Amino acid sequence: MKTNALLLSFLGSALSLSVMSQPTVSAPTPPELASSKVISVYSDAYTSVGYSFGECGSGTTTSEITLESDKIARFTTTGLGYFGWQLNSTVNAIGMTNLHLDVWAAETTVFNLFPITGDPEQSKQVTAAANQWTSVEFTVEEFTNLGLNMGNITQFKFANVPSKTFYVDNVYFYNSSTEVDTESPAALTAS
């Protein structure tokens, strides 16, 4: 009887190890922004520029899951620890003020985010909290201060990621300025 209980306990442990931890709710919903104030790389909230998953020979596997009608990118990294998106067209983010992304990992994870613009390749560090969505914000100026040409973004690379699975959603640039229209309307008629 003890052997059966031990075997069941072992099998139960083995089964629980094979279940992959993943988010159970979607990332926070992005704010409503005018199309002129956002450039979306990956988000169901906005029209995205178009991309392909860039495995770049790293052995990383990519797929999508759907939660609450929201597509979410899933990346499973190898020991090489890099992956990203190849953009279908060059993104010019010079008129934008911020870069936003949402990241979910089963355990606290630190990695580098590289907007690839040509030489030099520079990154900003991202820390994702365990078992929750972490919203990350950078100013575009932080990247231009590193010497990057933010008018020539062709890829996003995530690097120095240890072997694990994690999720990314809502990657977009936006302009946070509040412009007030002070021009009088022309040819206004009222009846």
Side-chain angles (χ1 to χ4, degrees), residues 44 47 57 102 149:
D44 288 338
T47 302
D102 293 310
N149 176 1

Side-chain angles (χ1 to χ4, degrees), residues 67-150:
L67 291 174
E68 303 166 358
S69 302
D70 181 28
K71 289 184 298 188
I72 300 166
R74 174 175 47 205
F75 298 96
T76 302
T77 64
T78 64
L80 294 175
Y82 63 92
F83 60 91
W85 281 292
Q86 173 72 42
L87 305 180
N88 290 351
S89 59
T90 300
V91 168
N92 180 351
I94 290 175
M96 300 292 125
T97 57
N98 298 76
L99 170 63
H100 175 94
L101 66 145
D102 293 310
V103 182
W104 191 99
E107 57 191 49
T108 299
T109 303
V110 178
F111 60 90
N112 294 328
L113 172 65
F114 293 79
I116 304 298
T117 64
D119 285 332
E121 279 194 16
Q122 297 288 332
S123 66
K124 296 296 291 179
Q125 192 173 70
V126 174
T127 301
N131 287 311
Q132 65 184 13
W133 284 104
T134 301
S135 292
V136 180
E137 294 276 334
F138 294 109
T139 66
V140 171
E141 185 178 30
E142 289 178 76
F143 292 105
T144 57
N145 288 344
L146 294 172
L148 299 180
N149 176 1
M150 296 303 282

Side-chain angles (χ1 to χ4, degrees), residues 28-49:
T29 303
E32 289 186 35
L33 297 169
S35 61
S36 63
K37 292 206 169 247
V38 67
I39 301 171
S40 175
V41 174
Y42 185 88
S43 179
D44 288 338
Y46 311 112
T47 302
S48 294
V49 295

Side-chain angles (χ1 to χ4, degrees), residues 152-167:
N152 189 46
I153 304 164
T154 57
Q155 299 175 352
F156 275 92
K157 180 172 79 173
F158 300 83
N160 302 323
V161 183
S163 295
K164 63 178 66 184
T165 298
F166 73 100
Y167 302 81

